[in-house]
Amino acid sequence: MLEFQNVTKRYSESGDALSEVSFALEPGELAFLTGHSGAGKSTLLRLIPVIERPTRGKIVLDGQPINRLTQREIPFLRRKLGLIFQDYRLLHDRTVFDNVALPLAIAGYSPVEIGRRVRAALDKVGLLRKEKRYPKGLSGGEQQRVGIARAIVHKPPVILADEPTGNLDPELSAEIMGLFREFNAVGVTLLIATHDLGLISRMACRRLRLHQGRLLEGG
Ligand code: ADP
Ligand code: ADP
């Protein structure tokens, strides 16, 4: 479903953030990307939606090499991905419903279809009753669940999460991990960057360990 072949990413300011990284995730696999701050986790994740492009090497998503995609083709690639961030990245002047509806509105879905899908996504994360609220009135855990509903509303086959529990206490973090497991149980492929080793130590999952831009384990 996702393959990196000898991927290197060099920033002119700071040198190689990733060096010769190779790994493959099968469809339906759940893997954690670990490593200290600065190890290259965010850089690796940003290459997949083509927020950044690799300096060398090849990336294949769902059978499609993404290196040579044009700007026009990138939005179609991104529809296969659900992105989740540490800081939620919600729009604070929009309701919960409108935040989750955003990807569908951009993709041109009808209002009826948007309503149906947004409520299904909110139901999945347990926020159906809060659709009219604004993000500011929600707890951190609830805001992240809105971020997750937004990421899954278009039913992407792959979910990428960058420190999704970085701002949450252990109990809420475990809840979020429970949601990820549920998505995984229905066949979604997930790659989750985290430095919270305590959280994932109890989960029997594949671990890709980055150290100074090199994949030391799991490749
Ligand atoms: P992590 O997510 O594991 O903390 P990052 O991918 O953010 O690691 O960073 C890896 C390395 O790349 C660090 O040395 C960081 O300073 C550098 N880096 C990340 N993004 C950029 C950028 N946009 N420009 C220059 N250097 C960057
Ligand atoms: P995180 O630690 O949450 O993974 P970072 O702090 O590494 O994220 O990166 C946050 C933002 O800062 C990113 O957009 C990244 O591109 C940018 N960034 C990180 N390191 C550098 C750097 N050395 N030079 C320029 N931009 C950077």
Side-chain angles (χ1 to χ4, degrees):
M1 180 56 83
L2 174 66
E3 189 173 1
F4 273 54
Q5 298 172 6
N6 303 309
V7 172
T8 293
K9 173 65 182 178
R10 170 166 297 170
Y11 291 111
S12 49
E13 306 89 337
S14 57
D16 285 359
L18 292 175
S19 307
E20 300 285 325
V21 169
S22 298
F23 68 92
L25 294 186
E26 298 302 323
E29 211 171 346
L30 164 60
F32 289 102
L33 183 61
T34 66
H36 295 293
S37 183
K41 304 182 294 296
S42 300
T43 298
L44 190 157
L45 292 178
R46 284 199 298 267
L47 295 175
I48 302 163
V50 201
I51 296 167
E52 305 267 8
R53 291 187 186 262
T55 310
R56 283 196 309 277
K58 186 174 173 188
I59 301 171
V60 181
L61 178 72
D62 196 16
Q64 183 182 32
I66 68 170
N67 293 55
R68 293 179 199 286
L69 288 184
T70 62
Q71 286 302 321
R72 190 189 292 253
E73 291 168 318
I74 290 171
F76 294 96
L77 170 87
R78 290 185 183 159
R79 281 178 207 175
K80 295 180 181 173
L81 302 169
L83 307 184
I84 296 165
F85 307 93
Q86 175 171 3
D87 54 1
Y88 324 133
R89 306 211 184 160
L90 304 178
L91 299 174
H92 286 278
D93 58 345
R94 311 262 182 116
T95 62
V96 165
F97 182 98
D98 286 342
N99 267 279
V100 177
L102 206 63
L104 300 180
I106 290 170
Y109 283 81
S110 74
V112 172
E113 186 67 9
I114 289 176
R116 200 178 64 72
R117 287 182 178 238
V118 168
R119 293 198 175 93
L122 286 174
D123 189 31
K124 218 164 276 174
V125 301
L127 284 179
L128 203 45
R129 289 181 308 122
K130 303 207 169 168
E131 66 169 58
K132 294 198 175 70
R133 301 274 285 271
Y134 285 84
K136 284 241 157 60
L138 302 177
S139 69
E142 288 172 332
Q143 290 191 40
Q144 187 55 298
R145 284 192 273 144
V146 176
I148 292 171
R150 179 186 55 194
I152 60 159
V153 74
H154 59 301
K155 302 202 171 187
V158 177
I159 290 177
L160 307 174
D162 195 355
E163 299 283 356
T165 61
N167 292 336
L168 302 176
D169 66 36
E171 197 175 323
L172 291 173
S173 299
E175 273 179 32
I176 298 294
M177 287 298 164
L179 277 176
F180 289 149
R181 272 189 186 289
E182 286 177 30
F183 301 143
N184 185 234
V186 295
V188 176
T189 307
L190 294 102
L191 182 56
I192 303 168
T194 182
H195 58 243
D196 189 349
L197 297 180
L199 186 65
I200 64 172
S201 63
R202 283 162 280 146
M203 297 173 71
C205 276
R206 177 148 170 217
R207 181 175 158 194
L208 302 171
R209 187 159 69 91
L210 277 175
H211 179 71
Q212 296 178 354
R214 291 183 180 277
L215 198 55
L216 294 190
E217 201 182 307

